Amino acid sequence: MYQYQDMSPSEFEKLIIAICKEILGEGTQGFASGPDGGRDAKFNGIANLYPSTRKPWENTTIIQAKHTIGINKDFSEVNFYSATSNTNTLATEVKKIKTLFKSGELNNYMLFSNRKLTGNKEPEIKQYISDRTGLNTVNIAILGIDDLNAWLSRYSYIPNMVNLIPLTKSPTIRPDELREVIVHFSNTFEDAVSSHDFGPVDRTTYEEKNKINNMSSEFSKELEKNYMSYVYYIQEFLSDPQNTELQDSYQNAIEEFQLRFILPRKRELEYFDDIFNELVERLINTDYTLSQSKNVRLTRIMVFYMYWNCDIGSSQ
């Protein structure tokens, strides 16, 4: 397993081209960035071994690489593929595929993505593309993470060539527990929350905590201005006896973030500003629910509360 989500789109495209040079042939050509009529790369000729050595594809194969920075993404998410939508990613690409096929510039089509692909979803997507382009399903390939992992295991030189990092060498976090808290919190959240006087709290003061964690004055003041008024509201929400299970989820989330992400990153980053921003970005980029517009802000507010309440970061 590899950190596909940490690659840039251009790095992911280089990875796909390297794989295609093996399974299709050295003649695989990459395309420069910019408008490309739906083409990321192409191969013209008889494939080395795809889909098999006995019956390889022939003529022009168009290759597309669709990268996502999210973790646990799959092909069935509605913003990527939906049989009833004309605005998702695949619906847009289908129009380009149809144009290339009708003009004789495409005989076979390969779509790669660092997404999970279930067995029942693959034939459905192939049929979807076929119905809208006229291309036969046997000339369509939909390829996900399992396919990438299998080929990189076979062609072990490729990860080093494209600087692809194994999953075990980079701190990863699971957003599941925090998602559970935020989904319930959003149902009671009010956009306008007035400030409250806090009772005695046994914790390091905000000012002292910023010094201990090396958070810049400008950044800490911006966080305080935007999110401090919500702290009391979160305290009440988490301390509500009806939210006992959510309290467990919250505790699991802070342990996950502190042990698996913050402590490792503190050895590499000078300012806690960067750790805070990176944590929030990873959460909203790896979870579809947290990436929704209202939940993006709620995620920042909740991470600020964790920091203010001395649940994450260093304290006295």
Side-chain angles (χ1 to χ4, degrees):
M1 293 290 290
Y2 293 92
Q3 298 278 14
Y4 300 111
Q5 72 280 356
D6 290 339
M7 305 181 81
S8 68
S10 61
E11 289 171 335
F12 186 69
E13 183 175 330
K14 289 178 182 177
L15 169 67
I16 300 310
I17 292 173
I19 291 173
C20 287
K21 282 182 178 291
E22 292 287 353
I23 65 175
L24 298 180
E26 278 293 332
T28 302
Q29 298 176 335
F31 286 78
S33 299
D36 60 6
R39 296 169 293 184
D40 286 328
K42 76 173 181 178
F43 172 79
N44 192 30
I46 301 175
N48 286 341
L49 51 83
Y50 196 86
S52 70
T53 54
R54 292 186 62 185
K55 300 183 74 172
W57 276 353
E58 298 183 11
N59 301 318
T60 303
T61 299
I62 295 298
I63 306 144
Q64 285 196 304
K66 293 298 179 183
H67 178 259
T68 175
I69 57 177
I71 299 175
N72 294 327
K73 296 288 187 178
D74 61 61
F75 278 83
S76 60
E77 292 180 4
V78 293
N79 62 330
F80 186 82
Y81 161 70
S82 170
T84 59
S85 171
N86 294 321
T87 59
N88 59 72
T89 298
L90 198 53
T92 302
E93 297 304 329
V94 158
K95 298 174 185 177
K96 302 174 185 177
I97 300 167
K98 182 177 181 179
T99 298
L100 292 171
F101 180 59
K102 295 300 182 184
S103 65
E105 299 178 70
L106 179 155
N107 302 100
N108 313 293
Y109 174 72
M110 305 184 83
L111 174 63
F112 290 85
S113 184
N114 57 318
R115 294 172 176 268
K116 294 181 179 179
L117 179 63
T118 59
N120 63 330
K121 191 58 62 175
E122 180 191 19
E124 178 183 331
I125 295 176
K126 282 185 177 181
Q127 193 62 55
Y128 171 88
I129 295 174
S130 178
D131 291 343
R132 287 157 179 77
T133 64
L135 189 62
N136 196 302
T137 55
V138 299
N139 299 106
I140 300 171
I142 308 298
L143 305 155
I145 282 182
D146 288 342
D147 300 292
L148 296 178
N149 290 336
W151 278 321
L152 294 183
S153 176
R154 182 172 183 176
Y155 307 116
S156 57
Y157 78 92
I158 292 179
N160 289 332
M161 188 178 74
V162 296
N163 297 318
L164 183 56
I165 302 172
L167 192 62
T168 55
K169 293 188 177 180
S170 180
T172 59
I173 50 176
R174 295 181 291 267
D176 309 49
E177 301 285 0
L178 184 64
R179 181 208 308 131
E180 188 74 14
V181 176
I182 286 181
V183 165
H184 286 82
F185 182 54
S186 66
N187 294 330
T188 59
F189 181 75
E190 297 175 1
D191 290 331
V193 181
S194 59
S195 298
H196 293 73
D197 293 327
F198 302 111
V201 179
D202 184 18
R203 62 168 183 81
T204 304
T205 66
Y206 183 60
E207 292 76 14
E208 186 62 27
K209 185 175 177 69
N210 294 336
K211 294 178 182 178
I212 295 171
N213 289 275
N214 200 26
M215 179 181 282
S216 70
S217 175
E218 183 179 13
F219 189 79
S220 64
K221 288 178 181 177
E222 193 68 19
L223 291 180
E224 183 176 9
K225 179 182 72 174
N226 290 322
Y227 308 130
M228 187 64 80
S229 61
Y230 300 100
V231 166
Y232 181 83
Y233 197 67
I234 297 174
Q235 281 185 325
E236 286 192 324
F237 173 78
L238 290 175
S239 61
D240 189 330
Q242 298 182 53
N243 293 331
T244 302
E245 292 185 4
L246 294 179
Q247 293 167 18
D248 292 338
S249 295
Y250 176 83
Q251 183 62 36
N252 290 335
I254 62 177
E255 291 176 9
E256 170 88 5
F257 302 162
Q258 183 76 350
L259 296 175
R260 293 175 59 86
F261 181 78
I262 292 175
L263 293 180
R265 294 303 278 156
K266 282 190 72 174
R267 294 193 292 266
E268 303 171 9
L269 297 174
E270 180 179 2
Y271 291 99
F272 204 87
D273 312 28
D274 298 324
I275 295 175
F276 183 97
N277 282 331
E278 187 175 337
L279 174 58
V280 172
E281 287 301 310
R282 289 206 178 200
L283 289 168
I284 63 179
N285 287 333
T286 57
D287 189 276
Y288 179 75
T289 300
L290 297 184
S291 70
Q292 301 306 293
S293 56
K294 181 178 181 179
N295 290 339
V296 168
R297 188 160 191 263
L298 289 179
T299 301
R300 290 196 182 98
I301 291 172
M302 192 65 70
V303 172
F304 172 75
Y305 174 80
M306 290 177 170
Y307 176 80
W308 175 87
N309 202 49
C310 296
D311 294 322
I312 60 175
S314 300
S315 305
Q316 285 182 330

